[in-house]
Amino acid sequence: MTDSLERNLQHRRRVLRALLWMTLIAGASFALINIKRELYLLASLELIYAAFAAFMLRFVDTTPHLKAWTLAFLVPFFCIMVIALLLPQSSFTVFAWIQSIPIISYLLLGKRGGFWMALIFISLGVLAFNVRYVTELSLVNMAVMANVGFSALAVMLFSHIYERSRDDNEQRLIELAGTDSLTGLANRMRLSEAFRAMRSQADRSNTPLSLVVLDLDHFKQVNDRYGHEVGDSVLLHTAQLLKRRLRDSDLPCRLGGEEFAMLLPGATLEQAADLADAVRVLLAQSPVAVGRERLNVTFSAGVATLSEDGDSLSELLRIADRRMYEAKGGGRNQVVAAGQRYALAKPDCASDACSE
């Protein structure tokens, strides 16, 4: 998510930079034209805004307050468009600039901010056009008013639909990029993003954050004996159990192959180990049906916690992974935390289909 926000921010910087260059060039050009037309007020506003655009170009690529500067630029910019439409001797073609307001607003402010900015200034622009150019009610003037109003509404409507579709598609792509295609769990990329957010929250609130790494026992034997389709069923079964057992605030994740992880905000090392052990017991007692056989599935797990075992995700993964291998070496089907070991006797098997 963080990477997506950064890309979106860079996109808006590029759009604003292009708008600033256009304002600088167009503002200076129109100012010269309007001086010759003796529209000194409008020419002065255009020169001032061209200078403002030149000023903003110096830091638009680096400012951490992009949204504030965007609003500071757009509100007077759109006001000048409306004022230009009201001035005597101004051309009705100024309304062409009013029509660009929704596009600029949505590109720079997003769906919600763009909607309100466009709604306010499109309404003011249509009102200014009617005040300036429609002097009496007649069928012709009513047609002009309708054309102006509905054309402005159409630009705003399609801009909104486009921005909403773009936002939905972007969110869907982010979700797909961070999701394991088989199990639907988060993948390693999403785990990294979630860890950054949860670590910041843990630091602010002084709460614990723990990580569990678990690996299904003898999974290769399952694939070799029953085939990869059954192996996939075992992975799905494990993923569904994790999703059912964990809280909404927890993040179950598939790291790859038969290896999973659980990121547990607010859980101490002992609490995370207790939870991992409860999941282990539940999985061991929930066999997977393979035809008429029942395949018992177990896992070995290691637990690590923020600060005590490391400050980065890579450090926690390394410690949890090492403890998971300690659990494997200690007989499998157990959870290992610092100084703690949780184990369960091997489940009874109705056949030789046990994974142990």
Side-chain angles (χ1 to χ4, degrees), residues 233-251:
S233 297
V234 170
L235 295 173
L236 282 168
H237 176 75
T238 304
Q240 291 165 1
L241 185 142
L242 290 177
K243 286 189 284 189
R244 288 197 308 268
R245 183 61 180 80
L246 298 184
R247 303 168 299 175
D248 291 339
S249 58
D250 299 330
L251 181 71

Side-chain angles (χ1 to χ4, degrees), residues 268-343:
T268 63
L269 184 71
E270 183 175 316
Q271 290 170 334
D274 287 339
L275 175 60
D277 191 54
V279 172
R280 178 181 63 83
V281 171
L282 182 60
L283 181 64
Q285 295 174 349
S286 306
V288 179
V290 181
R292 295 181 179 180
E293 298 182 59
R294 292 165 62 83
L295 178 63
N296 291 96
V297 183
T298 63
F299 67 71
S300 302
V303 187
T305 191
L306 187 66
S307 297
E308 294 179 23
D309 295 310
D311 295 318
S312 67
L313 178 61
S314 60
E315 290 174 325
L316 295 187
L317 282 170
R318 186 173 65 253
I319 297 298
D321 199 58
R322 188 187 71 198
R323 291 172 179 167
M324 182 268 291
Y325 277 105
E326 289 180 18
K328 292 278 189 184
R332 294 184 172 84
N333 193 18
Q334 56 188 267
V335 176
V336 172
Q340 295 176 303
R341 185 182 298 269
Y342 301 74

Side-chain angles (χ1 to χ4, degrees), residues 152-170:
L153 179 63
V155 174
M156 180 175 171
L157 177 64
F158 292 130
S159 296
H160 185 83
I161 292 172
Y162 170 79
E163 183 63 23
R164 181 173 181 176
S165 297
R166 189 198 65 80
D167 189 49
D168 290 344
N169 289 334
E170 182 178 282

Side-chain angles (χ1 to χ4, degrees), residues 119-258:
L119 180 64
I120 291 169
F121 282 100
I122 279 289
S123 300
L124 291 175
V126 171
L127 180 62
F129 183 92
N130 290 330
V131 169
R132 177 73 173 79
Y133 295 104
V134 180
T135 55
E136 60 182 22
L137 288 178
S138 67
L139 289 178
V140 173
N141 286 339
M142 289 178 65
V144 171
M145 292 169 60
N147 280 326
V148 169
F150 281 112
S151 64
L153 179 63
V155 174
M156 180 175 171
L157 177 64
F158 292 130
S159 296
H160 185 83
I161 292 172
Y162 170 79
E163 183 63 23
R164 181 173 181 176
S165 297
R166 189 198 65 80
D167 189 49
D168 290 344
N169 289 334
E170 182 178 282
Q171 292 302 316
R172 178 60 177 161
L173 288 173
I174 291 170
E175 182 180 342
L176 289 173
T179 302
D180 176 63
S181 59
L182 174 63
T183 63
L185 297 182
N187 59 18
R188 190 179 289 265
M189 184 188 78
R190 188 172 162 200
L191 174 66
S192 298
E193 294 178 351
F195 178 79
R196 286 195 290 268
M198 291 182 186
R199 183 181 61 183
S200 297
Q201 178 62 34
D203 290 341
R204 288 193 300 268
S205 58
N206 195 29
T207 54
L209 173 63
S210 295
L211 176 73
V212 178
V213 172
L214 61 95
D215 187 270
L216 300 183
D217 296 324
H218 298 307
F219 183 74
K220 185 177 183 301
Q221 295 178 14
V222 175
N223 277 334
D224 291 344
R225 179 170 180 178
Y226 298 99
H228 290 282
E229 186 175 346
V230 172
D232 289 347
S233 297
V234 170
L235 295 173
L236 282 168
H237 176 75
T238 304
Q240 291 165 1
L241 185 142
L242 290 177
K243 286 189 284 189
R244 288 197 308 268
R245 183 61 180 80
L246 298 184
R247 303 168 299 175
D248 291 339
S249 58
D250 299 330
L251 181 71
C253 171
R254 184 186 177 198
L255 297 178
E258 67 272 27

